[in-house]
């Protein structure tokens, strides 16, 4: 529910003691306890009512949510590996290389060198960079906007 550690809770109690004073502290603690109890009762009642109305549909809904919760706990690298394993190791950069005709020879995609490769006509064609360097501005075409 709430992720409060013991030192945090101790600081909150000390702050409440200074703010409220020792006279009003027991009354504030009773009010906080009753409010938390009421909130728990409302949540429990709503959950029970939803379970009784939805029945088995709720169990079917929980399965994908649990799998999403498992994926949420994975780091980005592990998630990428899971997705690539599920798709058979698909690499979108390979499709881009095939579409542009740039292979691994001469640097290919993402190469730091700004060299040119020869196209089908024998004339040099510029290589397509995969990403911008730090501080580099993207190309701007006023006719395209």
């Amino acid at each position: 529910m709430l992720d409060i550690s013991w030192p945090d809770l101790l600081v909150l109690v000390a702050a409440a003691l200074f703010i409220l004073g020792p006279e009003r502290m027991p009354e504030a603690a009773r009010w906080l306890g009753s409010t938390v109890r009421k909130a728990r009762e409302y949540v429990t009642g709503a959950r029970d009512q939803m379970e009784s109305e939805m029945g088995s549909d709720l169990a079917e809904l929980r399965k994908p949510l649990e799998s999403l919760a498992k994926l949420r706990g994975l780091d980005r690298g592990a998630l990428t590996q899971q997705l690539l394993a599920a798709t058979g190791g698909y690499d979108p950069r390979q499709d881009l290389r095939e579409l542009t005709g740039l292979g691994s020879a001469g640097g290919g995609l993402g190469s730091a060198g700004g060299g040119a490769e020869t196209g089908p006509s024998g004339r040099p064609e510029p290589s397509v960079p995969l990403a911008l360097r730090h501080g580099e501005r993207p190309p701007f075409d006023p006719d395209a906007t």
Side-chain angles (χ1 to χ4, degrees):
M1 194 168 111
L2 292 176
D3 190 22
I4 299 177
S5 63
W6 285 106
D8 295 339
L9 186 63
L10 189 62
V11 168
L12 287 174
V13 168
L17 185 62
F18 281 119
I19 293 170
L20 297 175
E23 301 87 28
R24 290 186 283 177
M25 189 69 172
E27 183 181 335
R30 276 193 298 275
W31 175 83
L32 182 64
S34 67
T35 304
V36 168
R37 192 176 322 111
K38 285 180 187 177
R40 282 186 181 175
E41 288 174 3
Y42 289 143
V43 169
T44 302
R47 184 183 63 220
D48 292 343
Q49 182 179 1
M50 187 179 357
E51 286 177 355
S52 67
E53 288 179 6
M54 292 188 74
S56 64
D57 294 337
L58 187 62
E60 291 176 14
L61 181 63
R62 280 188 180 159
K63 290 177 186 177
L65 291 176
E66 288 173 357
S67 64
L68 283 175
K70 287 179 186 176
L71 288 176
R72 189 175 182 199
L74 295 175
D75 64 339
R76 187 172 293 223
L79 182 60
T80 304
Q81 289 176 353
Q82 290 283 336
L83 292 174
L84 288 177
T87 59
Y90 173 71
D91 184 13
R93 291 178 292 181
Q94 182 62 33
D95 285 347
L96 186 61
R97 285 186 198 105
E98 292 171 4
L99 288 174
T100 58
L102 300 174
S104 59
L109 288 174
S111 63
E117 296 188 27
T118 57
S121 64
R123 286 183 274 170
E125 293 183 1
S127 63
V128 179
L130 189 58
L132 296 174
R133 292 186 191 99
H134 180 69
E136 184 179 2
R137 295 183 61 127
F140 178 74
D141 185 7
D143 295 332
T145 57

